[in-house]
Amino acid sequence: MSHTIITKVCEGVADCAEACPVACIHEGPGKNLKGTSWYWIDFSVCIDCGICLQVCPVEGAIIAEEKPEYQEIS
């Protein structure tokens, strides 16, 4: 099971994308409702290692479940 980036909570810090060993985290287009950049996880590539959860400084931006309804991809 993959992790999910909550698009509306993400602040575009990108520590998760830099730390991901399989490069499954990508920048989304535009800004989210908070006016910040945001990222999303490609569920088909994620290996469920949890590094993104460990490095993200934004509380609640990433959850340890695959919930596509919380994550925009385009």
Side-chain angles (χ1 to χ4, degrees), residues 26-74:
H26 308 284
E27 186 171 4
K31 305 290 183 191
N32 62 14
L33 294 176
K34 292 172 85 172
T36 64
S37 298
W38 53 276
Y39 285 75
W40 60 279
I41 294 175
D42 183 339
F43 298 141
S44 67
V45 178
C46 179
I47 59 171
D48 196 26
C49 67
I51 291 173
C52 57
L53 288 166
Q54 296 171 27
V55 301
C56 181
V58 182
E59 188 171 334
I62 303 174
I63 59 172
E65 300 175 66
E66 187 174 316
K67 296 280 188 177
E69 64 270 23
Y70 296 134
Q71 176 178 268
E72 311 237 355
I73 60 171
S74 60

